[in-house]
């Protein structure tokens, strides 16, 4: 059995980075030490860039929410 890379594994749905369909025989892991799919390994740099960009977007969204909450608290304190 081949193990594919999935940056955000889930026990409910597997999403191999290489696009291999999710089947009973699909194994995924987010640890590159266990990945054996040649297509995933070939796309390793692309996958790492995808994860980095995704996490940057998430962090920016979280910071935006924190900024919004702080603005709302400041407005409430002014009243």
């Amino acid at each position: 059995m081949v193990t594919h890379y999935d940056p955000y594994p889930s026990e409910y749905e597997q999403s191999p980075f290489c696009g291999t369909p999710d089947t009973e025989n699909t194994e995924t892991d987010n640890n590159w030490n266990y990945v054996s799919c040649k297509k995933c390994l070939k796309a390793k740099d692309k996958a790492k860039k995808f994860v980095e960009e995704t996490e940057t977007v998430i962090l920016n969204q979280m910071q935006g929410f924190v900024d919004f909450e702080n603005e709302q608290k400041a407005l409430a304190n002014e009243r």
Side-chain angles (χ1 to χ4, degrees):
M1 183 178 297
V2 175
T3 302
H4 300 274
Y5 178 71
D6 185 352
Y8 306 106
S10 165
E11 63 184 89
Y12 304 108
E13 181 181 345
Q14 298 182 8
S15 301
F17 191 79
C18 65
T20 299
D22 182 10
T23 65
E24 263 185 40
N25 296 328
T26 303
E27 287 283 329
T28 61
D29 204 303
N30 64 349
N31 184 335
W32 285 104
N33 293 324
Y34 301 114
V35 174
S36 58
C37 169
K38 290 179 182 179
K39 287 171 79 176
C40 288
L41 291 169
K42 187 175 180 180
K44 186 175 181 178
D45 289 339
K46 185 177 178 181
K48 286 183 174 184
K49 184 176 179 182
F50 168 78
V51 170
E52 183 178 303
E53 289 172 352
T54 301
E55 290 177 357
T56 298
V57 167
I58 292 169
L59 289 173
N60 288 339
Q61 289 174 341
M62 292 170 71
Q63 185 60 52
F65 178 73
V66 168
D67 293 343
F68 172 78
E69 286 294 312
N70 287 338
E71 289 171 11
Q72 294 302 308
K73 287 179 186 176
L75 289 173
N77 288 337
E78 289 178 5
R79 293 182 187 158

